[in-house]
């Protein structure tokens, strides 16, 4: 087994035992990148030199017995997170020259924990997309099938973990942007509760929905990453003072006696039969581990997509107003006057999907339309949240497919935004309700594409998700060796 | 037809917090352009606002001082528009849920008292400043002011004349300064006013079509702009025309209001709740804490001065124009034990000296201790009132104590009857002719003898004693 194939906890064991060094680990990951990156194209920016320097510092720290939770672990960052002194593009031409003078809080926390940052990963422009095809920096390919999309918007991070181009990665999830690519790339991805992880330094798409979370090779690594990135931040007023438990505590504690709800609205038309089959098999596995699965209803599910496509673009239309070419980023230089500069800068700096959403959002907030769109959507959002509150009165967690289908082909849906939007059908609800969700691999299509299983839990119940997902991961590997985290990797 | 104006004012008061409303940058005026900025107030990607609690303290103060109801929960909203002085492309303000509502202040115009309603007070951030290149080739943007906290005070359309408008503004201005939450400088823009004005036939209940007036940077300009606008609207209405609802800018030099170019005002601000900030919760404990620290407000202080110091209402008004002035006066009154004399000296010489140099009482070189000492020296007849005028001016120029000045200049009053008698004897002897005229009934010459005696003593003769002695001696003259 190669070093780059290891998980965080395996590397930690080796480092602690003195079997390897951080430098060897980082070298191994960059050698892997040298081999597969040309096919996968997961990264926008590689940070090879600083990574090597960080690796030797990590080895120094380890020698002195001063290792942190992630000392020497190569971690990739979605290019939506601000990194001091390192180009941060958000997948857009608009920020093609933007070098932030500050680190996102999550980046600070990773550095403090000793992580070695490998680079900035590709993403849909301003996180608007479900396939990483709207990036100004080219398309990332699904490591399981290079003709297919890796999902999005955090497609680069998902693909980097799946292709072993890093050990773990950070993404952001506004409507499924962590869980959907995790499902399509066969890795573990968690969207924490809104407010669990600081958004400071996360370039905003839709502020009331955005949340940062990890991509990992297994559930134990997910718990470790959550331990590092969670917690209150005085720089983010919406971050929660709720105490952060040690998420590793929930690993392998069993699920006997738990009640898992199966929302019937997530098993209707549009769900790919292969996905349904894999999820139904997962339900059996869960029941086999001693949990009780019951059917529940989330009656407002059909409104999730329309509500999301009003709230998210509305917030985005305002969040993206700052990209005007005046202070930083791309500027169209030949403007006649101020208005002309604004128009030409934004016309040339943003791609089609971003412009589409700015227009939808501007419309939804316009005077005369606000009540019918934004206000109504906010009211329905409260009902969607109430559906979940209801469900969590009887259930410890909910189980759903993560996506309606496995990864589709590159270019297949780029001309049909509505079809593209449907790929987030099952993930959007968690963002609207602010609850945590996790996607874990649960099977493969006949053509060998990964399928994801989603668990959702009540606010701040990430520990519960880790408990259930880790048990599922263990049981599933027993029943199907191809689901063993060490064996589920693409042939690249 | 008789028309009556209906006026409502919106005031923006820049707050004197150390830090900006959503970041830690300094609010100091006059620094190098863009030196008081950080990623948050520059609107860089991914940064978030964090509310400065001090701004809420100031809001509560103003709400209490203007009799507002303070809402337990309020929230921020985004006001969206593009302009280079607005880095985020939106201003964080408060819209649907204001923190303070339904207040009022009392004003007085020509002896008539009136209550003016306050619709709401809310918090928001200021924008930056554009600096235009003199050759018109480029515009520069200074974002030091971006994120400086503002209170917006929206008044009810209760005002019926430009005089009432000015009185209302002065009242708000004075309260803000008393609370020490705004420096009130209209020229530098820390106290700004926009006005909504319409006319309606007297007796009509509905409002007419209004215009919004901007760019009035002094009390006087507010009054002049409103006077002009009343004339303009009346002319239109009397001719059977209709007022256009628009924003008009006051042109100080031309003395007229001009319509703003419609392109600049055609804004749909697309307000929506600010998702980056949580609701502001103001509980009773917070309000009580602020209430306990509230200073005495100008009106209450004015009434107390009349009652406690037995001074005229007019004097009380002058002396309470600012908290610092009132404190200065009270200190002098307390130390001298003579409030009336204290009032006269502060309002007379001290304010005159300060006004000549356009200085505030804070910059007064005469300490309350020194002024009080001088008042006591007059009281115990060490110096005369006339000499005191000289002493007060010297104190102002040099900052010295009255005792120092008096001894340096030898200004101590002559209260020794023997010394004065000698002086008078000499004067009467040298002016025998005038003495005779006086005796013959030309009593006006009494003043001549006093003048001669004062001249001979360098003005130091105690006037009462001098008069007494002179009368007695003239009566005894043969
Ligand atoms: Zn700042």
């Amino acid at each position: 087994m190669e070093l780059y194939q290891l998980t965080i906890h395996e590397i930690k064991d080796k480092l602690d035992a003195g079997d390897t060094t951080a430098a060897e680990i980082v070298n191994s990951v960059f050698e892997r990148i040298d081999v597969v990156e040309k096919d996968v194209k997961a990264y926008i920016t590689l940070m090879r030199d600083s990574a090597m320097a960080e690796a030797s510092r990590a080895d120094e720290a380890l020698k002195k017995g001063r290792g942190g939770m992630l000392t020497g672990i190569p971690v990739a960052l979605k290019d939506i997170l601000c990194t001091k002194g390192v180009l941060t593009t958000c997948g857009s031409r608009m920020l093609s020259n933007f070098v932030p003078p500050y680190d996102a809080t999550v980046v600070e926390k990773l550095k403090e924990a000793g992580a070695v940052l490998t680079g900035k990963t590709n993403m849909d422009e301003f996180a608007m997309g479900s396939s990483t095809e709207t990036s100004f920096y080219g398309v990332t390919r699904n490591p399981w099938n290079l003709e297919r999309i890796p999902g999005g918007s955090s497609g680069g991070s998902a693909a980097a973990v799946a292709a072993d181009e890093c050990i773990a990665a950070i993404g952001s999830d506004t409507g499924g942007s962590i869980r959907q690519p995790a499902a399509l790339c066969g890795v573990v991805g968690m969207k924490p509760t809104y407010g669990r992880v600081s958004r400071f330094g996360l370039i905003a798409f839709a502020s009331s929905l955005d949340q940062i979370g990890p991509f990992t090779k297994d559930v134990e690594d997910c718990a470790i990453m959550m331990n590092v990135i969670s917690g209150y931040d005085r720089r983010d007023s919406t971050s929660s003072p709720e105490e952060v438990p040690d998420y590793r505590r929930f690993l392998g504690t069993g699920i006997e006696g738990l009640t898992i709800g199966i929302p019937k609205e997530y098993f209707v038309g549009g769900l790919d039969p292969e996905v349904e089959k894999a999820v139904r098999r997962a339900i059996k596995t869960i029941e086999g581990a001693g949990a009780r699965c019951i059917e529940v209803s989330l009656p407002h599910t059909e409104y999730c997509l329309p509500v999301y496509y009003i709230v998210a673009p509305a917030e985005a239309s305002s969040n993206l107003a700052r990209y005007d070419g005046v202070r930083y980023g791309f500027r169209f230089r030949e403007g006649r006057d101020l208005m002309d500069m604004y128009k030409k800068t934004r016309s040339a700096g943003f791609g089609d999907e971003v412009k589409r959403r700015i227009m939808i959002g501007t419309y939804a907030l316009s005077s005369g339309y606000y009540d019918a769109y934004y206000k109504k959507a906010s009211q329905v959002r409260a009902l969607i949240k109430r559906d979940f509150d209801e469900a969590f009165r009887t259930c410890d967690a909910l189980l759903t497919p993560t996506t309606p289908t496995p990864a589709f082909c590159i270019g297949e849906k780029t001309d049909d935004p509505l079809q593209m939007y449907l790929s987030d059908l099952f993930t959007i609800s968690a963002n609207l309700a602010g609850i945590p969700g996790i996607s874990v691999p649960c099977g493969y299509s006949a053509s060998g594409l990964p399928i994801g299983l989603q668990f959702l839990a009540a606010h701040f119940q990430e520990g519960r998700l880790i408990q259930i997902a880790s048990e599922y991961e263990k049981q599933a590997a027993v029943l199907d060796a191809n689901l063993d985290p060490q064996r589920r990797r693409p042939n690249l | 037809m008789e028309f009556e104006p209906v006026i409502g004012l919106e005031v923006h008061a820049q707050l004197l917090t150390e830090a900006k409303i959503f970041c830690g940058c300094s609010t100091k005026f006059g620094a190098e352009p863009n030196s008081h900025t950080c990623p948050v107030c520059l609107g860089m990607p991914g940064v978030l606002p964090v509310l400065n609690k001090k701004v809420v303290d100031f809001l509560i103060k103003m709400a209490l001082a203007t009799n507002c109801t303070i809402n337990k929960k309020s929230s921020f909203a985004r006001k969206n528009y593009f302009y280079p002085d607005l880095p985020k492309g939106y201003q964080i303000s408060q819209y649907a849920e204001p923190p303070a509502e339904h207040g009022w202040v009392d004003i007085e115009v020509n002896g008539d008292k009136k209550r003016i309603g306050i619709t709401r007070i809310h918090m928001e951030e200021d924008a930056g400043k554009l600096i235009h290149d003199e050759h018109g080739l480029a515009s520069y943007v200074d974002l030091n002011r971006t994120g400086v906290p503002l209170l917006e005070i929206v008044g009810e359309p209760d005002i019926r004349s430009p005089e009432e408008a000015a009185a209302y503004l002065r009242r708000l201005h004075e309260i803000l300064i008393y609370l020490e939450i705004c420096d009130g400088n209209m020229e530098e823009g820390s106290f700004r006013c926009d006005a909504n004005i319409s006319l309606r036939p007297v007796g009509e209940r509905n409002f007419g079509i209004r215009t919004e007036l901007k760019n009035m940077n002094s009390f006087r300009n507010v009054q002049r702009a409103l006077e002009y606008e009343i004339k303009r609207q009346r002319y239109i209405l009397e001719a059977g025309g209709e007022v256009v609802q628009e924003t008009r800018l006051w042109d100080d030099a031309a003395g007229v209001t001009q319509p703003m170019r419609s392109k600049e005002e055609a804004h749909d601000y697309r307000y929506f709740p600010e998702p980056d900030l949580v609701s502001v919760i103001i509980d009773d404990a917070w309000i009580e804490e602020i209430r306990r620290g509230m200073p005495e407000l100008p009106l209450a202080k004015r009434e107390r001065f009349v009652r406690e110091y037995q001074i005229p209402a007019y004097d009380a008004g002058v002396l309470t124009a600012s908290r610092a002035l009132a404190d200065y006066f009270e200190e002098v009154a307390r130390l001298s034990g003579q409030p009336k004399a204290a009032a006269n000296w502060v309002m007379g010489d001290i304010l005159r000296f300060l006004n000549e140099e356009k200085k505030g009482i804070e910059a007064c070189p005469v300490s309350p201790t020194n002024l009080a000492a001088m008042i006591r020296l007059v009281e115990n007849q060490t110096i005369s009132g006339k000499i005191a005028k000289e002493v007060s001016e010297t104190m102002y120029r040099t900052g010295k104590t009255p005792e120092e000045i008096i001894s340096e200049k030898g200004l101590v009053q002559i209260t020794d009857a023997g010394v004065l008698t000698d002086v008078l004897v000499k004067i009467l002897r040298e002016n025998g002719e005038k003495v005779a005229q006086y005796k013959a009934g030309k009593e006006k010459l009494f003043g001549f003898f006093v003048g001669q005696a004062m001249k001979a003593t360098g003005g130091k003769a105690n006037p009462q004693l001098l008069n007494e002695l002179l009368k007695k001696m003239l009566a005894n003259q043969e």
Side-chain angles (χ1 to χ4, degrees), chain A residues 101-102, chain B residues 20 22-26 34-44 47-48 87 143-144 146:
Chain A
Y102 46 92
Chain B
K20 293 185 178 181
F22 299 124
C23 65
C25 291
S26 165
N34 299 307
S35 59
H36 291 167
T37 58
C38 72
V40 174
C41 56
L42 289 175
M44 296 192 98
V47 299
L48 296 168
L143 299 175
N144 281 349
T146 307

Side-chain angles (χ1 to χ4, degrees), chain A residues 184-243:
Chain A
L184 303 191
C185 289
V187 298
V188 175
M190 176 181 269
K191 180 204 96 75
T193 308
Y194 184 78
R196 177 74 301 177
V197 179
S198 167
R199 292 185 296 118
F200 183 86
L202 168 73
I203 297 179
F205 161 16
S207 314
S208 75
L209 302 164
D210 295 343
Q211 187 59 201
I212 296 170
F215 287 95
T216 54
K217 296 180 184 179
D218 66 9
V219 177
E220 181 168 352
D221 279 6
C222 178
I224 295 168
M225 290 293 280
M226 283 300 294
N227 280 350
V228 173
I229 65 175
S230 300
Y232 174 74
D233 177 12
R234 57 175 188 78
R235 289 180 296 184
D236 175 3
S237 312
T238 65
S239 71
S240 170
E242 179 94 13
E243 201 190 324

Side-chain angles (χ1 to χ4, degrees), chain A residues 91-216:
Chain A
S92 181
R93 182 183 189 191
M94 192 59 98
L95 292 176
S96 48
N97 58 2
F98 178 63
V99 178
Y102 46 92
D103 272 331
T105 298
V106 161
V107 174
E108 277 181 3
K109 282 176 179 272
L110 289 168
K111 285 180 175 174
E112 274 163 31
V116 174
L117 304 179
T118 53
K120 309 293 293 287
T121 62
N122 199 14
M123 56 181 285
D124 282 296
E125 184 179 11
F126 284 102
M128 297 176 190
S130 309
S131 64
T132 315
E133 289 168 294
T134 70
S135 171
F136 179 68
Y137 304 90
V139 179
T140 296
R141 291 160 189 280
N142 192 314
W144 293 82
N145 180 335
L146 297 175
E147 304 300 308
R148 300 203 173 236
I149 57 101
S153 65
S154 315
S157 285
V161 174
D164 292 318
E165 293 187 72
C166 61
I167 304 302
I170 296 288
S172 68
D173 189 316
T174 305
S177 286
I178 291 173
R179 291 158 291 155
Q180 186 256 24
L184 303 191
C185 289
V187 298
V188 175
M190 176 181 269
K191 180 204 96 75
T193 308
Y194 184 78
R196 177 74 301 177
V197 179
S198 167
R199 292 185 296 118
F200 183 86
L202 168 73
I203 297 179
F205 161 16
S207 314
S208 75
L209 302 164
D210 295 343
Q211 187 59 201
I212 296 170
F215 287 95
T216 54

Side-chain angles (χ1 to χ4, degrees), chain B residues 382-441:
Chain B
T382 307
I383 54 172
S384 69
K386 190 161 171 258
I387 292 295
K389 289 244 166 219
E390 193 184 332
V391 174
S392 72
E393 179 151 8
T394 313
M395 287 200 295
Y396 188 85
R397 306 289 163 226
T398 63
K400 288 182 177 168
T401 66
E403 291 84 356
E404 279 173 318
I405 293 163
I406 289 163
S407 82
E408 275 172 23
K409 296 195 174 182
L411 294 174
V412 175
Q413 188 163 250
I414 303 167
T415 48
D416 184 329
V419 174
L420 290 183
T421 303
D422 289 349
V423 170
L424 286 171
V425 164
K426 186 162 176 264
I427 289 168
L428 296 183
R429 192 189 304 138
E430 282 167 4
N431 295 283
E433 206 173 309
K434 287 207 165 65
V435 172
Q437 287 171 352
Y438 178 86
K439 297 294 280 184

